[in-house]
Amino acid sequence: MWVDPYPDFRPEKPLFVCILANTETARIPGISAAGKSPEMTDYTPAADAELVETGSVFSISEPAMCPSGAPTPAVLTRASMLLTGIPCLFINAGLNIRPKISFIELNAHPGNDIRKELAVPDAADIYRASADLGRKLSKLSDFVMIGESVPGGTTTAMGVLRALGHNGRVSSSFSDNPSDIKERVVDEGMKASGISFGSLKNKPLRAVECMGDPMIAAASGLVDGLNVRTILAGGTQMVSVLSVIKAMGLKRDVSIATTCYVVNDKSANFREMTELLDFPSYIADPGFSNSDIAGLRMYEKGEVKEGVGAGGAMLAAAMQGYSQKEFREKTEEVYRSLFTIS
Amino acid sequence: MWVDPYPDFRPEKPLFVCILANTETARIPGISAAGKSPEMTDYTPAADAELVETGSVFSISEPAMCPSGAPTPAVLTRASMLLTGIPCLFINAGLNIRPKISFIELNAHPGNDIRKELAVPDAADIYRASADLGRKLSKLSDFVMIGESVPGGTTTAMGVLRALGHNGRVSSSFSDNPSDIKERVVDEGMKASGISFGSLKNKPLRAVECMGDPMIAAASGLVDGLNVRTILAGGTQMVSVLSVIKAMGLKRDVSIATTCYVVNDKSANFREMTELLDFPSYIADPGFSNSDIAGLRMYEKGEVKEGVGAGGAMLAAAMQGYSQKEFREKTEEVYRSLFTIS
């Protein structure tokens, strides 16, 4: 089965929400592969949103991709949106570069480098605004998936997990996870904030403020406001959101969905963390080893892995009965319309 | 009956959308009473949205009101949202001052003074973005009401009506309609655009571009994208949107809802225009003659009349079975929490 476990529910009004944010943390050399260079990662969320929505990018000359050439997971997410017809709303939770398509504005600021004292000074405001939005969306939708595009977001995720006392090992958009750099950055960040491992386990929003990124604040707030079935669509970044929800004691119908690439990442501990935090998880495998497109086969080697809610988007396609092969072919079609294959 | 005709439908997923925009046209002295002074009208849409959403205003020191002291119709709209619990989404269709609450960003620009060549240079872009949004909202809601807050908007509405060949006489937030000024401004605007009465009757979007405001582009686009029952909540500004829809030949399930104050305005011709354009209309009477609040009784004398979807908001309350008295009392409660009564 290409999605495990196979989802047996059929929502009437599904909704996909994609939270976009920047953090200065992504500018630290070697941290993020979500863009051709650290500076270009500023443009990645905007370009991802444009790609999912329109099949083209406007904010940069070509879609975001890893330095290796593997394409952004927005390609997978667009494939699913085309197949399923699920509406997608984008949220600006703190961007340096705003997309040239419609989006929901939370009046949030981009995150700081976590090595500064405060990473997300407006975490509480973001949380509140997002919770208000969630309450509204609950009246319209009966099933909400929450994806994200935040370059550098696994490092901030690690920071929050550590502040909450979890030995969460996070994944990476690089096939070779720069875990050493992340550990060092997180250590420096904790020192700058005057905190230590687990010292904020009872203050989850403070952990986001000190060590997180604006997406973590927005996603947690959204879950708070939503009282419908909710799936966090992402890898270890969304595990960090689960850790915040758990620490807050929020009782919501929340699961997590990600790709097989995150689950198979030995440098991370997705399964261990979701079991520890006690949330159901769904794992999706796009079957890219069967693809004749080199950029997609790079996923099988551990490039990119996840993002823009790609794992959850596959789950959504599976929920509507699309097969792995149909999904892969639609993804190839989206890829071909974007990139000239040499 | 306080709403005529009484609405006999009960949507499952109603949604209220409020389109916010500024136009330089509002800065022309004597045109708009939607603010204490022409300059202050820039703040009115943002403050209206804040008031409907939170019961407070952040962008200015006190809620928008007429120079006479009559309060913004946002007070009525908030009363209805509190009674009905209908979710309200705000759209920035081109603001100088953006609200300090969440909103949907269309990446639109504020409108120019219609005495310039182009009033809404990005009308086509706004229309398209709004239609895309409408298609998404159709998948979530089965009933959409569209209100607006656009100071100066009756003059731009008149401009569009004239360009489309309608002798539409528009209402005013002043009890004494400054029709002479509006006629003169519209005449100057038509000259500047090189058009004449009815010369754009087959080019409705061009009419908005030359003579309208960004809200008219956004509301028309939204109606295009929505394929669910839609009610334009407003007076003669929404009549102008109807005229655009009609000229486009759009076949949609659209009605209009407004207050008795607009219908009773002898300087305007709401009934004549809706009958001519052949759209059903709903008229709501808040019964403010029975209120002991002087600011609300001013509505009975023709101050303010309509705005922020107040007429439609009353219809929504009536649809859920609330009486005129219950609505009026809730409005008084909202008013009292905002203003100190001397």
Side-chain angles (χ1 to χ4, degrees), chain A residues 2-20:
Chain A
W2 75 292
V3 173
D4 184 37
Y6 187 77
D8 59 354
F9 48 95
R10 297 285 175 277
E12 281 183 27
K13 302 274 185 188
L15 171 64
F16 194 90
V17 173
C18 187
I19 301 177
L20 313 172

Side-chain angles (χ1 to χ4, degrees), chain A residues 53 85 88 103 105 136 139, chain B residues 53 85 88 103 105 136 139:
Chain A
E53 176 86 358
C88 184
F103 56 87
E105 175 66 55
K136 293 181 187 187
K139 294 180 179 177
Chain B
E53 177 86 359
C88 184
F103 56 86
E105 175 66 55
K136 293 181 186 187
K139 293 180 180 176

Side-chain angles (χ1 to χ4, degrees), chain A residues 94-148:
Chain A
L95 288 169
N96 287 315
I97 306 293
R98 306 177 340 148
K100 293 188 166 66
I101 56 160
S102 304
F103 56 87
I104 297 171
E105 175 66 55
L106 289 190
N107 299 310
H109 298 97
N112 297 323
D113 187 326
I114 59 169
R115 295 172 302 181
K116 291 192 179 168
E117 194 181 336
L118 287 184
V120 191
D122 55 347
D125 288 339
I126 296 172
Y127 186 95
R128 202 163 25 234
S130 199
D132 287 343
L133 177 65
R135 275 183 283 275
K136 293 181 187 187
L137 296 178
S138 280
K139 294 180 179 177
L140 299 170
S141 170
D142 58 351
F143 173 74
V144 179
M145 276 202 179
I146 306 173
E148 58 68 40

Side-chain angles (χ1 to χ4, degrees), chain B residues 114-288:
Chain B
I114 59 169
R115 294 173 302 181
K116 291 191 180 168
E117 194 181 336
L118 287 183
V120 190
D122 55 348
D125 289 339
I126 296 173
Y127 186 95
R128 202 163 26 234
S130 198
D132 287 343
L133 177 64
R135 276 183 282 276
K136 293 181 186 187
L137 296 179
S138 281
K139 293 180 180 176
L140 299 171
S141 170
D142 58 351
F143 174 73
V144 179
M145 276 204 180
I146 306 174
E148 56 68 41
S149 177
V150 187
T154 54
T155 304
T156 47
M158 182 194 271
V160 169
L161 285 164
R162 298 290 163 89
L164 296 180
H166 297 296
N167 197 6
R169 287 181 290 116
V170 295
S171 192
S172 169
S173 46
F174 284 112
S175 57
D176 191 8
N177 196 343
S179 301
D180 288 357
I181 306 179
K182 292 181 185 179
E183 295 275 0
R184 200 172 61 236
V185 168
V186 167
D187 283 349
E188 281 180 46
M190 294 181 85
K191 264 191 208 111
S193 299
I195 61 171
S196 58
F197 183 87
S199 69
L200 295 178
K201 67 180 177 187
N202 296 320
K203 293 180 179 171
L205 208 49
R206 177 74 184 154
V208 178
E209 199 176 39
C210 291
M211 300 297 293
D213 61 56
M215 180 285 290
I216 301 176
S220 309
L222 203 55
V223 168
D224 188 348
L226 288 169
N227 58 11
V228 297
R229 188 192 288 253
T230 303
I231 292 193
L232 295 173
T236 44
Q237 292 175 247
M238 288 305 183
V239 168
S240 155
V241 175
L242 290 180
S243 75
V244 171
I245 295 166
K246 186 82 173 184
M248 286 184 158
L250 285 182
K251 302 287 179 216
R252 299 288 184 279
D253 181 356
V254 177
S255 321
I256 187 168
T258 193
T259 65
C260 56
Y261 308 119
V262 167
V263 177
N264 296 338
D265 180 358
K266 294 200 167 34
S267 71
N269 60 352
F270 179 88
R271 277 216 189 274
E272 186 188 318
M273 284 305 302
T274 53
E275 280 165 19
L276 179 78
L277 294 167
D278 197 22
F279 289 92
S281 62
Y282 296 91
I283 314 301
D285 175 0
F288 284 164

